[in-house]
PDB file of all heavy atoms in Angstrom:
ATOM      1  N   TRP A  25      79.670 185.828  75.269  1.00 87.00           N
ATOM      2  CA  TRP A  25      80.826 185.136  74.691  1.00 87.00           C
ATOM      3  C   TRP A  25      80.357 183.807  74.055  1.00 87.00           C
ATOM      4  O   TRP A  25      80.736 183.462  72.956  1.00 87.00           O
ATOM      5  CB  TRP A  25      81.923 184.890  75.680  1.00 87.00           C
ATOM      6  CG  TRP A  25      82.998 184.043  75.294  1.00 87.00           C
ATOM      7  CD1 TRP A  25      84.031 184.453  74.651  1.00 87.00           C
ATOM      8  CD2 TRP A  25      83.203 182.583  75.413  1.00 87.00           C
ATOM      9  NE1 TRP A  25      84.913 183.344  74.328  1.00 87.00           N
ATOM     10  CE2 TRP A  25      84.471 182.249  74.785  1.00 87.00           C
ATOM     11  CE3 TRP A  25      82.393 181.661  76.046  1.00 87.00           C
ATOM     12  CZ2 TRP A  25      84.787 180.919  74.810  1.00 87.00           C
ATOM     13  CZ3 TRP A  25      82.944 180.313  75.984  1.00 87.00           C
ATOM     14  CH2 TRP A  25      84.016 179.949  75.386  1.00 87.00           C
ATOM     15  N   LEU A  26      79.493 182.971  74.839  1.00 89.00           N
ATOM     16  CA  LEU A  26      79.104 181.695  74.336  1.00 89.00           C
ATOM     17  C   LEU A  26      78.289 181.960  73.022  1.00 89.00           C
ATOM     18  O   LEU A  26      78.445 181.131  72.101  1.00 89.00           O
ATOM     19  CB  LEU A  26      78.262 180.884  75.284  1.00 89.00           C
ATOM     20  CG  LEU A  26      77.693 179.494  74.924  1.00 89.00           C
ATOM     21  CD1 LEU A  26      78.857 178.621  74.539  1.00 89.00           C
ATOM     22  CD2 LEU A  26      76.901 179.004  76.039  1.00 89.00           C
ATOM     23  N   PHE A  27      77.401 182.898  73.057  1.00 89.00           N
ATOM     24  CA  PHE A  27      76.559 183.135  71.879  1.00 89.00           C
ATOM     25  C   PHE A  27      77.436 183.413  70.669  1.00 89.00           C
ATOM     26  O   PHE A  27      77.146 182.851  69.571  1.00 89.00           O
ATOM     27  CB  PHE A  27      75.523 184.287  72.142  1.00 89.00           C
ATOM     28  CG  PHE A  27      74.726 184.596  70.980  1.00 89.00           C
ATOM     29  CD1 PHE A  27      73.645 183.847  70.667  1.00 89.00           C
ATOM     30  CD2 PHE A  27      74.969 185.829  70.269  1.00 89.00           C
ATOM     31  CE1 PHE A  27      72.847 184.251  69.599  1.00 89.00           C
ATOM     32  CE2 PHE A  27      74.206 186.115  69.269  1.00 89.00           C
ATOM     33  CZ  PHE A  27      73.093 185.324  68.785  1.00 89.00           C
ATOM     34  N   ARG A  28      78.485 184.291  70.826  1.00 87.00           N
ATOM     35  CA  ARG A  28      79.273 184.631  69.730  1.00 87.00           C
ATOM     36  C   ARG A  28      80.059 183.449  69.216  1.00 87.00           C
ATOM     37  O   ARG A  28      80.207 183.340  67.980  1.00 87.00           O
ATOM     38  CB  ARG A  28      80.113 185.822  70.086  1.00 87.00           C
ATOM     39  CG  ARG A  28      79.341 187.083  70.379  1.00 87.00           C
ATOM     40  CD  ARG A  28      80.427 188.248  70.629  1.00 87.00           C
ATOM     41  NE  ARG A  28      79.644 189.540  70.953  1.00 87.00           N
ATOM     42  CZ  ARG A  28      80.203 190.730  70.827  1.00 87.00           C
ATOM     43  NH1 ARG A  28      81.538 190.761  70.417  1.00 87.00           N
ATOM     44  NH2 ARG A  28      79.594 191.764  71.029  1.00 87.00           N
ATOM     45  N   LYS A  29      80.620 182.682  70.087  1.00 87.00           N
ATOM     46  CA  LYS A  29      81.337 181.564  69.756  1.00 87.00           C
ATOM     47  C   LYS A  29      80.485 180.517  68.951  1.00 87.00           C
ATOM     48  O   LYS A  29      80.926 179.901  68.088  1.00 87.00           O
ATOM     49  CB  LYS A  29      82.021 180.862  70.923  1.00 87.00           C
ATOM     50  CG  LYS A  29      83.142 181.689  71.634  1.00 87.00           C
ATOM     51  CD  LYS A  29      84.319 181.894  70.766  1.00 87.00           C
ATOM     52  CE  LYS A  29      85.187 180.633  70.594  1.00 87.00           C
ATOM     53  NZ  LYS A  29      86.435 180.812  69.815  1.00 87.00           N
ATOM     54  N   ALA A  30      79.174 180.379  69.410  1.00 89.00           N
ATOM     55  CA  ALA A  30      78.260 179.429  68.700  1.00 89.00           C
ATOM     56  C   ALA A  30      78.054 179.861  67.356  1.00 89.00           C
ATOM     57  O   ALA A  30      77.923 179.073  66.411  1.00 89.00           O
ATOM     58  CB  ALA A  30      76.988 179.340  69.500  1.00 89.00           C
ATOM     59  N   LEU A  31      77.838 181.228  67.076  1.00 88.00           N
ATOM     60  CA  LEU A  31      77.746 181.768  65.839  1.00 88.00           C
ATOM     61  C   LEU A  31      78.994 181.478  64.952  1.00 88.00           C
ATOM     62  O   LEU A  31      78.926 181.182  63.806  1.00 88.00           O
ATOM     63  CB  LEU A  31      77.447 183.314  65.825  1.00 88.00           C
ATOM     64  CG  LEU A  31      76.094 183.687  66.384  1.00 88.00           C
ATOM     65  CD1 LEU A  31      76.032 185.301  66.349  1.00 88.00           C
ATOM     66  CD2 LEU A  31      74.993 183.273  65.451  1.00 88.00           C
ATOM     67  N   GLN A  32      80.125 181.693  65.521  1.00 87.00           N
ATOM     68  CA  GLN A  32      81.371 181.474  64.814  1.00 87.00           C
ATOM     69  C   GLN A  32      81.488 180.087  64.272  1.00 87.00           C
ATOM     70  O   GLN A  32      81.887 179.750  63.047  1.00 87.00           O
ATOM     71  CB  GLN A  32      82.591 181.711  65.710  1.00 87.00           C
ATOM     72  CG  GLN A  32      83.923 181.332  65.041  1.00 87.00           C
ATOM     73  CD  GLN A  32      85.031 181.321  66.095  1.00 87.00           C
ATOM     74  OE1 GLN A  32      84.991 182.110  67.020  1.00 87.00           O
ATOM     75  NE2 GLN A  32      86.112 180.647  65.851  1.00 87.00           N
ATOM     76  N   TYR A  33      80.974 179.039  65.067  1.00 87.00           N
ATOM     77  CA  TYR A  33      81.105 177.599  64.554  1.00 87.00           C
ATOM     78  C   TYR A  33      79.717 177.200  63.879  1.00 87.00           C
ATOM     79  O   TYR A  33      79.561 176.059  63.615  1.00 87.00           O
ATOM     80  CB  TYR A  33      81.329 176.755  65.789  1.00 87.00           C
ATOM     81  CG  TYR A  33      82.767 176.878  66.339  1.00 87.00           C
ATOM     82  CD1 TYR A  33      83.031 177.517  67.589  1.00 87.00           C
ATOM     83  CD2 TYR A  33      83.837 176.268  65.577  1.00 87.00           C
ATOM     84  CE1 TYR A  33      84.336 177.586  68.072  1.00 87.00           C
ATOM     85  CE2 TYR A  33      85.116 176.399  66.135  1.00 87.00           C
ATOM     86  CZ  TYR A  33      85.289 176.993  67.323  1.00 87.00           C
ATOM     87  OH  TYR A  33      86.644 177.103  67.836  1.00 87.00           O
ATOM     88  N   ILE A  35      76.775 176.813  65.039  1.00 89.00           N
ATOM     89  CA  ILE A  35      76.013 175.737  65.737  1.00 89.00           C
ATOM     90  C   ILE A  35      74.534 176.008  65.712  1.00 89.00           C
ATOM     91  O   ILE A  35      74.105 176.985  66.172  1.00 89.00           O
ATOM     92  CB  ILE A  35      76.562 175.733  67.135  1.00 89.00           C
ATOM     93  CG1 ILE A  35      78.034 175.256  67.277  1.00 89.00           C
ATOM     94  CG2 ILE A  35      75.662 174.819  68.070  1.00 89.00           C
ATOM     95  CD1 ILE A  35      78.654 175.169  68.532  1.00 89.00           C
ATOM     96  N   LYS A  38      72.449 176.383  69.278  1.00 89.00           N
ATOM     97  CA  LYS A  38      73.052 177.491  70.165  1.00 89.00           C
ATOM     98  C   LYS A  38      72.025 177.796  71.265  1.00 89.00           C
ATOM     99  O   LYS A  38      72.402 178.166  72.392  1.00 89.00           O
ATOM    100  CB  LYS A  38      73.477 178.690  69.475  1.00 89.00           C
ATOM    101  CG  LYS A  38      72.578 179.398  68.506  1.00 89.00           C
ATOM    102  CD  LYS A  38      73.249 180.556  67.803  1.00 89.00           C
ATOM    103  CE  LYS A  38      72.378 181.160  66.760  1.00 89.00           C
ATOM    104  NZ  LYS A  38      72.140 180.241  65.631  1.00 89.00           N
ATOM    105  N   LEU A  41      72.436 175.355  73.990  1.00 94.00           N
ATOM    106  CA  LEU A  41      73.658 175.579  74.830  1.00 94.00           C
ATOM    107  C   LEU A  41      73.442 176.764  75.807  1.00 94.00           C
ATOM    108  O   LEU A  41      73.798 176.706  76.916  1.00 94.00           O
ATOM    109  CB  LEU A  41      74.848 175.901  73.854  1.00 94.00           C
ATOM    110  CG  LEU A  41      75.346 174.775  72.954  1.00 94.00           C
ATOM    111  CD1 LEU A  41      76.500 175.281  72.036  1.00 94.00           C
ATOM    112  CD2 LEU A  41      75.763 173.681  73.831  1.00 94.00           C
ATOM    113  N   ALA A  75      84.175 178.673  82.739  1.00 95.00           N
ATOM    114  CA  ALA A  75      84.595 177.259  82.435  1.00 95.00           C
ATOM    115  C   ALA A  75      83.474 176.322  81.978  1.00 95.00           C
ATOM    116  O   ALA A  75      83.642 175.469  81.077  1.00 95.00           O
ATOM    117  CB  ALA A  75      85.225 176.710  83.824  1.00 95.00           C
ATOM    118  N   LEU A  76      82.231 176.402  82.629  1.00 96.00           N
ATOM    119  CA  LEU A  76      81.075 175.675  82.203  1.00 96.00           C
ATOM    120  C   LEU A  76      80.602 176.075  80.781  1.00 96.00           C
ATOM    121  O   LEU A  76      80.282 175.139  79.954  1.00 96.00           O
ATOM    122  CB  LEU A  76      80.036 175.882  83.189  1.00 96.00           C
ATOM    123  CG  LEU A  76      80.199 175.028  84.622  1.00 96.00           C
ATOM    124  CD1 LEU A  76      79.237 175.601  85.542  1.00 96.00           C
ATOM    125  CD2 LEU A  76      80.127 173.561  84.320  1.00 96.00           C
ATOM    126  N   ALA A  77      80.649 177.370  80.449  1.00 95.00           N
ATOM    127  CA  ALA A  77      80.358 177.735  79.119  1.00 95.00           C
ATOM    128  C   ALA A  77      81.239 177.115  78.135  1.00 95.00           C
ATOM    129  O   ALA A  77      80.751 176.632  77.073  1.00 95.00           O
ATOM    130  CB  ALA A  77      80.281 179.271  79.092  1.00 95.00           C
ATOM    131  N   ALA A  78      82.596 177.194  78.390  1.00 94.00           N
ATOM    132  CA  ALA A  78      83.464 176.719  77.525  1.00 94.00           C
ATOM    133  C   ALA A  78      83.416 175.218  77.331  1.00 94.00           C
ATOM    134  O   ALA A  78      83.452 174.682  76.302  1.00 94.00           O
ATOM    135  CB  ALA A  78      84.866 177.096  77.889  1.00 94.00           C
ATOM    136  N   TYR A  79      83.042 174.509  78.473  1.00 96.00           N
ATOM    137  CA  TYR A  79      82.775 172.999  78.421  1.00 96.00           C
ATOM    138  C   TYR A  79      81.547 172.754  77.515  1.00 96.00           C
ATOM    139  O   TYR A  79      81.552 171.899  76.743  1.00 96.00           O
ATOM    140  CB  TYR A  79      82.575 172.510  79.861  1.00 96.00           C
ATOM    141  CG  TYR A  79      81.867 171.191  79.784  1.00 96.00           C
ATOM    142  CD1 TYR A  79      82.552 169.970  79.329  1.00 96.00           C
ATOM    143  CD2 TYR A  79      80.513 171.144  79.983  1.00 96.00           C
ATOM    144  CE1 TYR A  79      81.888 168.794  79.106  1.00 96.00           C
ATOM    145  CE2 TYR A  79      79.743 169.784  79.949  1.00 96.00           C
ATOM    146  CZ  TYR A  79      80.558 168.703  79.449  1.00 96.00           C
ATOM    147  OH  TYR A  79      79.921 167.581  79.365  1.00 96.00           O
ATOM    148  N   ARG A  80      80.449 173.480  77.814  1.00 96.00           N
ATOM    149  CA  ARG A  80      79.235 173.175  76.994  1.00 96.00           C
ATOM    150  C   ARG A  80      79.498 173.250  75.421  1.00 96.00           C
ATOM    151  O   ARG A  80      79.077 172.489  74.688  1.00 96.00           O
ATOM    152  CB  ARG A  80      78.134 174.173  77.274  1.00 96.00           C
ATOM    153  CG  ARG A  80      77.653 174.092  78.719  1.00 96.00           C
ATOM    154  CD  ARG A  80      76.935 172.963  79.235  1.00 96.00           C
ATOM    155  NE  ARG A  80      76.573 173.067  80.570  1.00 96.00           N
ATOM    156  CZ  ARG A  80      76.284 171.806  81.279  1.00 96.00           C
ATOM    157  NH1 ARG A  80      76.229 170.656  80.624  1.00 96.00           N
ATOM    158  NH2 ARG A  80      76.043 171.888  82.631  1.00 96.00           N
ATOM    159  N   LEU A  81      80.330 174.300  75.120  1.00 94.00           N
ATOM    160  CA  LEU A  81      80.672 174.452  73.619  1.00 94.00           C
ATOM    161  C   LEU A  81      81.742 173.411  73.307  1.00 94.00           C
ATOM    162  O   LEU A  81      81.473 172.790  72.234  1.00 94.00           O
ATOM    163  CB  LEU A  81      81.364 175.884  73.425  1.00 94.00           C
ATOM    164  CG  LEU A  81      81.805 176.239  72.009  1.00 94.00           C
ATOM    165  CD1 LEU A  81      80.685 175.936  71.027  1.00 94.00           C
ATOM    166  CD2 LEU A  81      82.329 177.570  71.992  1.00 94.00           C
ATOM    167  N   SER A  82      82.681 173.151  74.023  1.00 95.00           N
ATOM    168  CA  SER A  82      83.715 172.172  73.615  1.00 95.00           C
ATOM    169  C   SER A  82      83.106 170.807  73.455  1.00 95.00           C
ATOM    170  O   SER A  82      83.480 169.933  72.644  1.00 95.00           O
ATOM    171  CB  SER A  82      84.960 172.241  74.550  1.00 95.00           C
ATOM    172  OG  SER A  82      84.527 171.730  75.836  1.00 95.00           O
ATOM    173  N   ASN A  83      82.202 170.372  74.356  1.00 96.00           N
ATOM    174  CA  ASN A  83      81.597 169.174  74.409  1.00 96.00           C
ATOM    175  C   ASN A  83      80.801 168.954  73.164  1.00 96.00           C
ATOM    176  O   ASN A  83      80.635 167.920  72.441  1.00 96.00           O
ATOM    177  CB  ASN A  83      80.702 169.011  75.703  1.00 96.00           C
ATOM    178  CG  ASN A  83      79.955 167.656  75.610  1.00 96.00           C
ATOM    179  OD1 ASN A  83      78.757 167.664  75.458  1.00 96.00           O
ATOM    180  ND2 ASN A  83      80.616 166.491  75.958  1.00 96.00           N
ATOM    181  N   TYR A  84      80.096 170.081  72.749  1.00 95.00           N
ATOM    182  CA  TYR A  84      79.360 169.931  71.506  1.00 95.00           C
ATOM    183  C   TYR A  84      80.308 169.796  70.287  1.00 95.00           C
ATOM    184  O   TYR A  84      79.955 169.007  69.439  1.00 95.00           O
ATOM    185  CB  TYR A  84      78.450 171.234  71.354  1.00 95.00           C
ATOM    186  CG  TYR A  84      77.408 171.233  70.204  1.00 95.00           C
ATOM    187  CD1 TYR A  84      76.101 170.871  70.447  1.00 95.00           C
ATOM    188  CD2 TYR A  84      77.818 171.540  68.897  1.00 95.00           C
ATOM    189  CE1 TYR A  84      75.150 170.844  69.376  1.00 95.00           C
ATOM    190  CE2 TYR A  84      77.037 171.486  67.856  1.00 95.00           C
ATOM    191  CZ  TYR A  84      75.697 171.159  68.007  1.00 95.00           C
ATOM    192  OH  TYR A  84      74.763 171.126  66.994  1.00 95.00           O
ATOM    193  N   LEU A  85      81.358 170.573  70.323  1.00 94.00           N
ATOM    194  CA  LEU A  85      82.261 170.432  69.110  1.00 94.00           C
ATOM    195  C   LEU A  85      82.799 169.004  68.991  1.00 94.00           C
ATOM    196  O   LEU A  85      83.079 168.440  68.007  1.00 94.00           O
ATOM    197  CB  LEU A  85      83.442 171.512  69.296  1.00 94.00           C
ATOM    198  CG  LEU A  85      82.951 172.954  69.216  1.00 94.00           C
ATOM    199  CD1 LEU A  85      84.190 173.781  69.550  1.00 94.00           C
ATOM    200  CD2 LEU A  85      82.301 173.321  67.796  1.00 94.00           C
ATOM    201  N   TYR A  86      83.042 168.489  70.197  1.00 95.00           N
ATOM    202  CA  TYR A  86      83.783 167.171  70.377  1.00 95.00           C
ATOM    203  C   TYR A  86      82.748 166.040  70.014  1.00 95.00           C
ATOM    204  O   TYR A  86      83.115 165.188  69.057  1.00 95.00           O
ATOM    205  CB  TYR A  86      84.307 166.889  71.787  1.00 95.00           C
ATOM    206  CG  TYR A  86      85.215 165.759  71.908  1.00 95.00           C
ATOM    207  CD1 TYR A  86      86.630 165.986  72.131  1.00 95.00           C
ATOM    208  CD2 TYR A  86      84.768 164.421  72.038  1.00 95.00           C
ATOM    209  CE1 TYR A  86      87.533 164.982  72.392  1.00 95.00           C
ATOM    210  CE2 TYR A  86      85.650 163.438  72.258  1.00 95.00           C
ATOM    211  CZ  TYR A  86      86.977 163.716  72.369  1.00 95.00           C
ATOM    212  OH  TYR A  86      87.962 162.604  72.594  1.00 95.00           O
ATOM    213  N   GLN A  87      81.541 166.081  70.511  1.00 91.00           N
ATOM    214  CA  GLN A  87      80.651 164.977  70.347  1.00 91.00           C
ATOM    215  C   GLN A  87      79.756 165.097  69.176  1.00 91.00           C
ATOM    216  O   GLN A  87      79.602 164.134  68.477  1.00 91.00           O
ATOM    217  CB  GLN A  87      79.725 164.890  71.495  1.00 91.00           C
ATOM    218  CG  GLN A  87      80.375 164.625  72.890  1.00 91.00           C
ATOM    219  CD  GLN A  87      80.854 163.132  73.065  1.00 91.00           C
ATOM    220  OE1 GLN A  87      80.441 162.285  72.230  1.00 91.00           O
ATOM    221  NE2 GLN A  87      81.506 162.840  74.182  1.00 91.00           N
ATOM    222  N   ILE A  88      79.354 166.211  68.787  1.00 91.00           N
ATOM    223  CA  ILE A  88      78.363 166.443  67.729  1.00 91.00           C
ATOM    224  C   ILE A  88      79.045 166.911  66.407  1.00 91.00           C
ATOM    225  O   ILE A  88      78.800 166.283  65.320  1.00 91.00           O
ATOM    226  CB  ILE A  88      77.352 167.529  68.043  1.00 91.00           C
ATOM    227  CG1 ILE A  88      76.699 167.182  69.368  1.00 91.00           C
ATOM    228  CG2 ILE A  88      76.240 167.653  67.049  1.00 91.00           C
ATOM    229  CD1 ILE A  88      75.914 165.789  69.424  1.00 91.00           C
ATOM    230  N   SER A  89      79.967 167.902  66.459  1.00 87.00           N
ATOM    231  CA  SER A  89      80.487 168.425  65.249  1.00 87.00           C
ATOM    232  C   SER A  89      81.784 167.623  64.813  1.00 87.00           C
ATOM    233  O   SER A  89      82.247 167.845  63.670  1.00 87.00           O
ATOM    234  CB  SER A  89      80.889 169.889  65.504  1.00 87.00           C
ATOM    235  OG  SER A  89      79.768 170.648  65.845  1.00 87.00           O
ATOM    236  N   LEU A  91      84.746 168.148  65.782  1.00 92.00           N
ATOM    237  CA  LEU A  91      85.950 168.983  65.857  1.00 92.00           C
ATOM    238  C   LEU A  91      86.745 168.807  67.077  1.00 92.00           C
ATOM    239  O   LEU A  91      86.722 169.585  68.006  1.00 92.00           O
ATOM    240  CB  LEU A  91      85.472 170.512  65.798  1.00 92.00           C
ATOM    241  CG  LEU A  91      84.677 170.801  64.399  1.00 92.00           C
ATOM    242  CD1 LEU A  91      84.172 172.311  64.455  1.00 92.00           C
ATOM    243  CD2 LEU A  91      85.484 170.624  63.140  1.00 92.00           C
ATOM    244  N   GLU A  94      89.665 171.279  67.816  1.00 92.00           N
ATOM    245  CA  GLU A  94      89.030 172.607  68.237  1.00 92.00           C
ATOM    246  C   GLU A  94      88.640 172.567  69.712  1.00 92.00           C
ATOM    247  O   GLU A  94      88.819 173.399  70.506  1.00 92.00           O
ATOM    248  CB  GLU A  94      87.986 172.989  67.330  1.00 92.00           C
ATOM    249  CG  GLU A  94      88.378 173.359  65.857  1.00 92.00           C
ATOM    250  CD  GLU A  94      88.783 174.793  65.732  1.00 92.00           C
ATOM    251  OE1 GLU A  94      88.801 175.568  66.781  1.00 92.00           O
ATOM    252  OE2 GLU A  94      88.989 175.242  64.625  1.00 92.00           O
ATOM    253  N   ALA A  95      87.883 171.385  70.022  1.00 94.00           N
ATOM    254  CA  ALA A  95      87.359 171.223  71.277  1.00 94.00           C
ATOM    255  C   ALA A  95      88.420 171.197  72.397  1.00 94.00           C
ATOM    256  O   ALA A  95      88.434 171.826  73.540  1.00 94.00           O
ATOM    257  CB  ALA A  95      86.460 169.938  71.331  1.00 94.00           C
ATOM    258  N   LEU A  98      90.121 174.603  72.976  1.00 92.00           N
ATOM    259  CA  LEU A  98      89.245 175.439  73.676  1.00 92.00           C
ATOM    260  C   LEU A  98      89.330 175.093  75.152  1.00 92.00           C
ATOM    261  O   LEU A  98      89.409 176.069  76.057  1.00 92.00           O
ATOM    262  CB  LEU A  98      87.832 175.286  73.237  1.00 92.00           C
ATOM    263  CG  LEU A  98      86.734 176.177  73.980  1.00 92.00           C
ATOM    264  CD1 LEU A  98      87.127 177.674  73.980  1.00 92.00           C
ATOM    265  CD2 LEU A  98      85.412 175.952  73.335  1.00 92.00           C
ATOM    266  N   PRO A 112      86.677 167.812  77.060  1.00 96.00           N
ATOM    267  CA  PRO A 112      85.422 168.056  76.341  1.00 96.00           C
ATOM    268  C   PRO A 112      84.620 166.696  76.178  1.00 96.00           C
ATOM    269  O   PRO A 112      83.449 166.678  75.763  1.00 96.00           O
ATOM    270  CB  PRO A 112      85.916 168.556  74.989  1.00 96.00           C
ATOM    271  CG  PRO A 112      87.338 168.274  74.979  1.00 96.00           C
ATOM    272  CD  PRO A 112      87.836 168.254  76.364  1.00 96.00           C
TER     273      PRO A 112
END
Side-chain angles (χ1 to χ4, degrees):
W25 174 84
L26 179 59
F27 178 76
R28 294 186 181 202
K29 292 294 284 186
L31 286 178
Q32 174 188 331
Y33 288 107
I35 292 176
K38 54 183 173 291
L41 292 179
L76 285 167
Y79 161 73
R80 300 287 176 204
L81 177 58
S82 67
N83 177 256
Y84 188 96
L85 296 176
Y86 195 103
Q87 296 283 357
I88 308 299
S89 301
L91 299 174
E94 293 270 7
L98 177 58

